[in-house]
């Protein structure tokens, strides 16, 4: 499952705990999709919330619903459902900028600690393992 374009009205990615975003139209404001190895399912309804954040780790709860669809599970069994609810722990690695015009990361969030890979548009965290950032 992938969720893209999560708008967060916070001054820094370090402050995302508690945000919640809901979409009732495909891609507005979030784009949620699932690829099961053969088919891609796009969800008109999607909700994502950050339950907890510690450093670069965040716990998300995701809920997606749409028309009925089938997914092949790893052991070959088919699951037919019209919604998915899951809790995921994910590590923050950086920010992709998907823009049609040149804009700076600072227009959207605090850019401290990021390095830009100009070829991909990915702002990667520089070195989050230093004592200054890890809290040790």
């Amino acid at each position: 499952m992938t969720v893209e374009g999560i708008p967060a009205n916070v001054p820094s990615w370090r402050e995302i705990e508690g945000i919640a975003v809901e979409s009732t139209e495909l891609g507005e404001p979030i784009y949620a999709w699932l690829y099961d190895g053969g088919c891609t399912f796009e969800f008109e309804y999607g909700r994502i919330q950050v339950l907890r954040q510690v450093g670069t780790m965040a716990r998300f709860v995701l809920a997606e619903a749409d028309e009925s669809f089938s997914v092949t599970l790893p052991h070959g069994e088919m699951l037919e459902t019209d919604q998915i609810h899951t809790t995921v722990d994910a590590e923050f690695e950086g920010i992709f900028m998907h823009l049609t015009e040149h804009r700076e990361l600072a227009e959207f969030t605090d850019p401290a600690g990021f390095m830009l890979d100009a070829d991909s548009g990915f702002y990667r965290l520089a070195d989050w393992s230093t004592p200054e950032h890890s809290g040790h």
Side-chain angles (χ1 to χ4, degrees), residues 9-119:
N9 190 16
V10 294
S12 170
W13 67 270
R14 296 170 188 88
E15 301 171 21
I16 63 171
E17 185 171 318
I19 67 164
V21 180
E22 187 173 53
S23 180
T24 57
E25 183 179 327
L26 182 64
E28 296 296 328
I30 60 175
Y31 176 55
W33 55 278
L34 171 73
Y35 180 72
D36 76 347
C39 294
T40 300
F41 301 95
E42 297 176 316
F43 298 93
E44 287 188 17
Y45 174 82
R47 184 173 197 284
I48 187 165
Q49 180 178 6
V50 182
L51 299 177
R52 180 167 165 77
Q53 180 182 17
V54 177
T56 59
M57 295 299 295
R59 174 163 289 171
F60 295 86
V61 63
L62 306 166
E64 277 81 41
D66 215 327
E67 296 178 22
S68 184
F69 61 95
S70 298
V71 176
T72 305
L73 300 175
H75 52 32
E77 186 178 334
M78 294 293 287
L79 170 68
E80 192 161 324
T81 187
D82 65 350
Q83 56 187 299
I84 296 175
H85 294 270
T86 189
T87 301
V88 177
D89 290 329
E91 184 167 14
F92 182 84
E93 295 178 353
I95 298 173
F96 275 107
M97 297 286 287
H98 297 284
L99 300 171
T100 56
E101 59 188 62
H102 179 71
R103 296 179 70 185
E104 297 295 326
L105 181 62
E107 294 179 53
F108 304 98
T109 190
D110 176 11
F114 288 100
M115 293 185 318
L116 172 63
D117 176 345
D119 292 335

